[in-house]
Amino acid sequence: MIPAHALAAANGSGPSIPAPHIEYGQLSPMLVVFGAALLGVLVEAFLPRRARASAQLGVSLLGLGGAFAAVVVLAAQGHGTTKAGLLAMGAVAIDGPALFLQGVILLTAVLAVLTYAEGRLEPRINGHRVDAFAAQAAAVPGGEQERDATREGLRTTEIYPLTLFAVGGMLLFPAANDLLTMFVALEVLSLPLYLMSALARRRRLISQEAAVKYFLLGAFASAFFLFGTALVYGYAGSLQLGEIADVVSGVSQVTPALAVTTQNDALLLIGLAMLAVGLLFKVGAVPFHSWTPDVYQGAPTPVTGFMAAATKTAAFGALLRLFYVAFPGLRWDWRPVMWGVAILTMAVGAVLAITQQDVKRLLAYSSVAHAGFILTGLIATDRRGVAAVLFYLLAYSFVTLGAFAVVTLVRDSKGEATHLSNWAGLGRRSPLLAAVFALFLLAFAGIPLTSGFTGKFAVFQAAAEGGATPLVIVGVLSSAVAAFFYIRVIVLMFFSDPQPSGPAVAVPSPLTATAIGVGVLVTLGLGLLPQYFLDLASKAALFTR
Amino acid sequence: MNSLIPLLVAAPLAGAALLLLGGRALDRFGHWIATALAALSFAFGLALFADMLGRDAEHRAVTEQLYSWIPVDGFQADVAFQLDQLSITFVLLITGVGTLIHLYSVGYMAHDERRRRFFAYLNLFLAAMLVLVLADNYLLLYVGWEGVGLASFLLIGFWQHKPSAATAAKKAFIVNRVGDMGLSIAIMLMFVEFGSFAFQPVFATAGDASEGKLTAIGLMLLLAACGKSAQVPLQSWLGDAMEGPTPVSALIHAATMVTAGVYLIVRSGAIFNLAPDAQTAVVVVGAVTLLFGAVVGCAKDDIKKALAGSTMSQIGYMIMAAGLGPIGYAFAIMHLVTHGFFKAGMFLGAGSVMHGMNDEVNMRHYGGLRKYMPVTFATFGLGYLAIIGFPGLSGFFSKDKIIEAAFAKGGTEGWILGLCALLGAAVTAFYMTRVMVLTFFGEKRWQPDAEGNDPHPHESPKSMTVPMVVLAFGSVFAGGLFVYGNSFLHWLEPVTGHAEGDSPLSPWTVTGLATACMLAGAALAWQMYGRSPVPVKPPVGSLLTRAARRDLLQDDFNHAVLVRPGTALAATLVWFDSRGLDGFVNGLAAAIGGISARLRRIQTGYVRTYALSMFGGTLVLVASTLLMRSV
């Protein structure tokens, strides 16, 4: 006996839901990473404790490496240029910016995972190497359980699958082509990050406080994003970025429903502003930056490095897509507002960094200032601006990751010695490390022959040609202010006398050394011979709809 | 064949890089590498010369474009070399004399710990000097110009542990900067006027520019030449530059680098020909320096400083000839080449004497050395005969041509210049005879050195005497070779052009007068120093002698006219800077710091405050987005 409804479907007479068409091949970078993350969960569940760390490292590196290979193959097949298009019924876009940023995120994640696995910095416990993450995340700080877990030399290897989930979200974020997918990506990348921020082995209370702050404020920002999504949907009757753009510019067919809603521009404008708030929070733009210093300081330093580099890349990708694909027709509305945000971000970031006494907070404010510099490229609203932002994100990611990796190495008996006074005279004790950090600082400051200069030059040039000369002037002035505190650290390291009881520089394993070394190479490479990557970025700088 | 041109420069440049980067591993044999590369460059030069001889006069000049350094629309900075008759002449002089002096230095610097570095600098100098004379545009020429300045600075101050050497290096550098400024301004003027700084377009369109502008460019080029070639008023560094090791004095401060100013003026002939006022300035500078250097040379007891005065004076001849225009260009270069031989030879001779006399430089402490150092005496003597213009030797022909050309300028100007040149010839004979007599003839006046060791003069090793002998050949025969059938003139004519002047005196009269002047000067010196005993302590001397001993008060003049007002100006500016500008800058910095400290307080650490600020921010963002629409 055949059920009735099956018969009806077979006859084609009843209502039917079409099976969605999914391009698995072109989505493979994300699928590989999510698959690796699930595998990581299984590793946690089934492997014995001692074998987990190395197994997790292997799974993560394979997953990230495989995904990167997939990105390269897709790009080589022309999916970034000629074969760019929409996937999964228009929910995801595959185009130049998406593939470029996915590549950057994956490479940064590989280096970040290498710094996670560093086991030589903390003293051994009972002969076991431990890393920068809490022995047992669920244990109450200072409690009995924590002491036991620490004594046993436990490690929170869940950090690896969490990172992979976050990376998966980050890959989707700049590729998301409708507002709901973008929101899902935002949450997928954010939730693991909240947890990861809480996992520091030392100073656990600050770490947990940072995580809670990040979570609360992140949820707040997500709510704005969701609200904005609702308002824009109310206006345009669609969630897809391309269709929204059509409605905004009036090329789509006017249905009776649209005729009513499109009369009310306030829906659209408020929606746009709220979507922007959600994304500006993630990039750390002023006035939505206040979480940055606290979270950067509290989170375990390897996580901070990963977060600072990869989250910013992903969030700028989403911001670019939102403004360039969905709202190019509204640029006369959002450009002036973004001008203000960019100016505030650059100025506040640079000025506040001056008085910081902690390296991680200093780098946090510096990342705020850099968000402002990148925004100037966004405001250029042309292809050159997109290319400049893409290049800047590539350059900035590696410098940031390298800089935070260096921070993990300067230690005293209480763990990382992040107070700046401890860094005095570091250049005399350990000239190589100080020189490497000085290189990263010079790159942050945008001194020629480093990647930072090329990147900054690119965004400022794009902004100036896009008619935003006053913005460039503010940018250059902020750079001058920013140069002060970067160079102050260099002066401190090389021209001050070391403290007698100052920190020691730990000798890292090849893992961290590789991460820092790659950071140095990329920083110098993009500074000395940037042409290939500039060309690549400008080839990749076209969004599909 | 043309692809050899870049190799001319590349060989010594590679040597410099190798020796500087190679480290101590090259200490033992690095100097041979440097010498071999200099010789290689000379070999390339000879090959190119032979190749050039094989073509007829119109097709001898070739250019070799290496790459475009800054290819911007309307601003084309090329790295391109031009090899023509003029530059190959320099190439052969630079690499030929350069190789000999490398060889000489192997012996001279044998006991110096930093020998490898010395040879690296010498190679660097060769490379820079070759860039200077091979450049096909003024910008690349400027690169070489600065490069030789750098090498000169490094080599004058090579014994930097001596404060006098360090000061001399600095002095040379600073005085040269004044001249370099002139060259850079000249290049800028050219670019503004002609839209290019390559020789070809500039010279081709020089006629379109107004005479005033050409005069300005010419005067700036003259300023550059004054700095590099130690001409009045930028002459003061050359005497002090003798603090450098003697091979350096021979190569850089006698034979090659100091003649770069002459090259610059001759090369820019197309500009000077159209700017008679600038030309007049050139001849005045040349004539004044010719006498200035000669007078200084008469009074110096330091053998190298006497020779330095002489160099200044001889370059004065060349500059004067170059200022005469097409009448004199070829003769300026001819004298430059012969001077390169005999002056380098004499400097090497002086070095050889110092080598044998425990580094004594005071000629009053020499005497009777001819028996002890026969080869040095013979080669130095031939150089001496050449420079005073003894008939038949190199200097006789080349100087004679310049004196003739000076008279040929015509009119009162011609007479004045001609008489200056004749007077200079007499004084040259005087001071050179003085050097010769004080050093090689008369009684021994040897003094123990600072450690009380008596000198035991001896002939120098082969590596030093061989270059001296080779240069002596040049001193004897080069001039005759050049004037035989006017070969040198015809060789250079396609580049520099040539015009016969209108001389009031016949060539034979001029030759006779010059020879008579030379004999009178030499006889006077013989009378003063050869026939009467020479006091070991210098006599007080006349007012002129005392002034000449102080380089005709050049340093006092510079100090009073430039240094003191300059210091006062700097002090005033510093006062304004610290009160005004710094106050503003520091105030600004303090203000930003203050803002930062205040803003920090907003960062309370309370998540509720953060949320509130986000909420406020969102309101502002939403409101301003709406506002943008309504305005």
Side-chain angles (χ1 to χ4, degrees), chain B residues 25-103:
Chain B
L26 297 176
D27 272 352
R28 242 162 7 91
F29 54 90
H31 48 286
W32 288 114
I33 299 179
T35 311
L37 285 170
L40 184 66
S41 190
F42 181 54
F44 289 149
L46 283 178
L48 286 165
F49 178 58
D51 182 54
M52 187 183 280
L53 283 178
R55 297 190 297 262
D56 49 326
E58 288 82 53
H59 299 104
R60 280 179 176 158
V62 289
T63 51
E64 174 77 3
Q65 165 98 16
L66 267 192
Y67 61 95
S68 226
W69 177 43
I70 306 178
V72 177
D73 194 29
F75 181 94
Q76 205 71 24
D78 288 344
V79 176
F81 294 131
Q82 169 179 346
L83 191 72
D84 59 9
Q85 290 91 329
L86 181 59
S87 39
I88 192 75
T89 308
F90 272 89
V91 166
L92 291 178
L93 176 72
I94 293 161
T95 54
V97 176
T99 306
L100 289 175
I101 285 173
H102 271 74
L103 191 62

Side-chain angles (χ1 to χ4, degrees), chain B residues 434-482:
Chain B
R434 177 173 173 270
V435 169
M436 196 68 195
V437 170
L438 286 181
T439 306
F440 292 103
F441 293 90
E443 297 298 310
K444 298 175 193 170
R445 300 176 300 274
W446 306 347
Q447 307 286 323
D449 67 7
E451 282 116 47
N453 301 324
D454 283 320
H456 298 285
H458 53 273
E459 193 51 85
S460 299
K462 276 278 188 311
S463 66
M464 289 168 67
T465 50
V466 169
M468 286 153 58
V469 171
V470 176
L471 288 172
F473 271 96
S475 315
V476 175
F477 298 112
L481 209 63
F482 290 165

Side-chain angles (χ1 to χ4, degrees), chain B residues 153-166:
Chain B
F153 168 78
L154 291 170
L155 286 165
I156 294 172
F158 186 72
W159 288 319
Q160 54 202 221
H161 53 88
K162 288 197 297 184
S164 55

Side-chain angles (χ1 to χ4, degrees), chain A residues 213 217 220-221 224 265 269-270 273 277 281 287-288 290 293-294 330 333 336-337 341 351-352 354-356 361 365 481, chain B residues 592-593 595-597 599-600 603-607 610-618 621-622 624-626 628-629:
Chain A
K213 279 181 186 167
L217 296 173
F220 197 34
F224 280 118
D265 272 356
L269 293 174
I270 297 173
V277 169
F281 173 84
F288 314 105
S290 38
D294 293 12
L330 283 184
D333 294 295
V337 179
V341 172
V351 168
L352 268 175
I354 288 181
T355 41
Q356 298 305 317
R361 285 185 88 83
Y365 280 109
V481 174
Chain B
I592 292 178
I595 295 171
S596 178
L599 274 181
R600 251 181 101 179
Q603 193 79 15
T604 53
Y606 292 122
V607 75
Y610 297 173
L612 188 66
S613 73
M614 275 177 66
F615 185 69
T618 309
L621 213 66
V622 168
S624 48
T625 311
L626 289 175
M628 280 308 140
R629 176 56 65 92

Side-chain angles (χ1 to χ4, degrees), chain A residues 358-378:
Chain A
D358 184 282
V359 176
K360 285 168 83 179
R361 285 185 88 83
L362 179 84
L363 292 177
Y365 280 109
S366 130
S367 93
V368 172
H370 280 280
F373 297 138
I374 303 175
L375 281 176
T376 58
L378 179 106

Side-chain angles (χ1 to χ4, degrees), chain A residues 425-485:
Chain A
L426 201 69
R428 306 214 186 140
R429 290 200 185 166
S430 147
L432 180 65
L433 183 99
V436 166
F437 197 60
L439 173 74
F440 290 140
L441 290 174
L442 290 176
F444 278 134
I447 304 296
L449 305 187
T450 64
S451 59
F453 170 76
T454 323
K456 217 174 253 186
F457 187 79
V459 287
F460 286 168
Q461 189 190 27
E465 284 174 6
T469 312
L471 201 58
V472 173
I473 292 173
V474 175
V476 171
L477 290 179
S478 303
S479 299
V481 174
F484 167 78
F485 57 78

